[in-house]
């Protein structure tokens, strides 16, 4: 079974469609939240996700859009986009986003948007944070999004001591299952933040016992044009060009 691990679509339909075109042999999609927020096509992205056999958990932007979270902690651009997104959501999209469970366990994997200990809010950037989070889930592996940065944190071996290694995953990098515990972030589909503007995701191949990182170029200008037409914050459009 081959599963696409995606996160942070952020209403970027062109990026999501390009990632779907890149799918090969995918039977199921695991989505790690922030389907909406920032971008111009919230309902279209929810609808497209729902055409797949899939599971999904909510992110902070999904919760903000349905009014389940105050946007006081958002920066002004993110808040403006969240309010706009909330106004656009159809009843169907809203009901779907409201139905998502905070975390999920699927086989050897725990799914959480930010981290297992703070599923909505924690940005997992550092091995010391990862080390604390390894005690907060009971499966072998954990999948997170939220930072939009493709990364893997490994559980430390006794020789390594308190913290394990972390790596920024390059396109094509393959992570092997069955050796040690890890927390893995597939990167962001709709707003990558590692300096590479291409959409980022990963493919889990259960039979081969590995996860492969993928990057996909998409029509960034089309998304930007729509954002400008809708008068969404200009900085949110521009950052897509840089992948930050
Ligand atoms: Zn996000």
């Amino acid at each position: 079974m081959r599963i696409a691990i995606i996160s942070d679509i952020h209403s970027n339909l062109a990026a999501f469609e390009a990632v779907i075109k890149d799918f090969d042999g995918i039977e199921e999609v695991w989505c790690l939240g922030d389907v909406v927020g920032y971008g111009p096509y919230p309902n279209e992205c929810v609808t497209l996700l729902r055409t797949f056999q899939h599971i999904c958990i909510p992110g902070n932007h999904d919760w903000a859009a349905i009014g389940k979270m105050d946007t006081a902690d958002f920066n002004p651009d993110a808040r403006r986009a969240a309010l706009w997104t909330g106004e656009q959501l159809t009843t169907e999209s809203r009901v779907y986003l409201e139905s998502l469970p905070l975390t999920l366990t699927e086989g050897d994997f725990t799914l959480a948007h930010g981290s297992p200990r703070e599923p909505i809010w924690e940005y997992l950037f550092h091995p010391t944070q990862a080390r604390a989070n390894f005690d907060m889930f009971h499966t072998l592996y954990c999948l997170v999004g939220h930072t939009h940065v493709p990364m893997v944190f490994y559980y430390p071996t006794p020789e390594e001591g308190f913290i394990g290694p972390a790596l920024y995953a390059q396109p094509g990098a393959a992570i092997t299952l069955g050796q040690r515990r890890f927390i893995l972030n597939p990167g962001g589909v709709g707003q990558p933040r590692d300096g590479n503007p291409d959409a980022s995701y990963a493919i889990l191949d259960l039979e081969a016992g590995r996860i492969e990182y993928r990057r996909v170029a998409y029509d960034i200008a089309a998304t930007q044009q729509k954002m400008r037409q809708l008068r969404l914050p200009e900085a949110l459009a521009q950052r897509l060009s840089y992948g930050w």
Side-chain angles (χ1 to χ4, degrees):
M1 165 114 113
R2 284 165 68 80
I3 297 154
I5 304 169
I6 61 172
S7 191
D8 298 279
I9 298 165
H10 281 297
S11 304
N12 189 338
L13 186 64
F16 190 20
E17 286 176 339
V19 160
I20 290 167
K21 273 206 187 89
D22 189 63
F23 283 1
D24 66 88
I26 296 298
E27 293 165 60
E28 207 172 291
V29 173
W30 293 359
C31 176
L32 306 173
D34 280 0
V35 181
V36 304
Y38 291 133
Y41 292 104
N43 292 306
E44 291 82 351
C45 288
V46 170
T47 303
L48 186 53
L49 175 63
R50 295 182 70 192
T51 64
F52 288 89
Q53 175 74 33
H54 80 287
I55 54 175
C56 185
I57 51 173
N60 49 318
H61 288 263
D62 302 317
W63 271 19
I66 59 175
K68 204 165 173 173
M69 165 181 290
D70 190 0
T71 53
D73 290 334
F74 278 43
N75 68 54
D77 283 348
R79 189 180 313 131
R80 232 178 89 199
L83 292 173
W84 178 85
T85 302
E87 288 162 13
Q88 309 307 311
L89 285 183
T90 61
T91 305
E92 210 178 326
S93 298
R94 185 176 292 275
V95 167
Y96 171 79
L97 293 174
E98 279 168 357
S99 76
L100 302 177
L102 190 58
T103 61
L104 278 171
T105 302
E106 195 69 27
D108 288 333
F109 296 86
T110 296
L111 282 61
H113 179 65
S115 75
R117 71 175 166 186
E118 278 288 342
I120 294 291
W121 273 118
E122 183 174 24
Y123 288 90
L124 210 47
F125 272 121
H126 198 273
T128 53
Q129 293 172 285
R131 178 63 188 82
N133 270 287
F134 274 112
D135 297 332
M136 308 299 288
F137 65 98
H138 304 293
T139 54
L140 278 172
Y141 315 111
C142 180
L143 305 173
V144 298
H146 197 38
T147 64
H148 308 192
V149 177
M151 283 189 83
V152 186
F153 300 94
Y154 288 101
Y155 190 81
T157 61
E159 299 76 50
E160 284 162 356
F162 185 71
I163 59 169
L167 65 89
Y168 291 105
Q170 298 302 314
I175 309 302
T176 310
L177 304 183
Q179 290 175 344
R180 55 200 288 187
R181 296 182 77 201
F182 58 73
I183 301 173
L184 181 145
N185 189 321
V189 169
Q191 194 198 76
R193 290 183 191 162
D194 62 341
N196 177 349
D198 294 346
S200 182
Y201 81 108
I203 293 179
L204 163 63
D205 188 321
L206 288 175
E207 279 74 41
R210 55 180 226 141
I211 296 177
E212 184 197 338
Y213 276 92
R214 310 272 276 235
R215 292 309 277 254
V216 188
Y218 73 95
D219 192 347
I220 294 172
T223 298
Q224 290 171 323
Q225 196 189 354
K226 187 70 182 175
M227 290 173 77
R228 287 171 180 142
Q229 189 192 325
L230 294 168
R231 302 193 183 286
L232 285 163
E234 174 61 21
L236 296 181
Q238 274 187 32
R239 67 188 297 176
L240 298 176
S241 298
Y242 304 107
W244 289 114

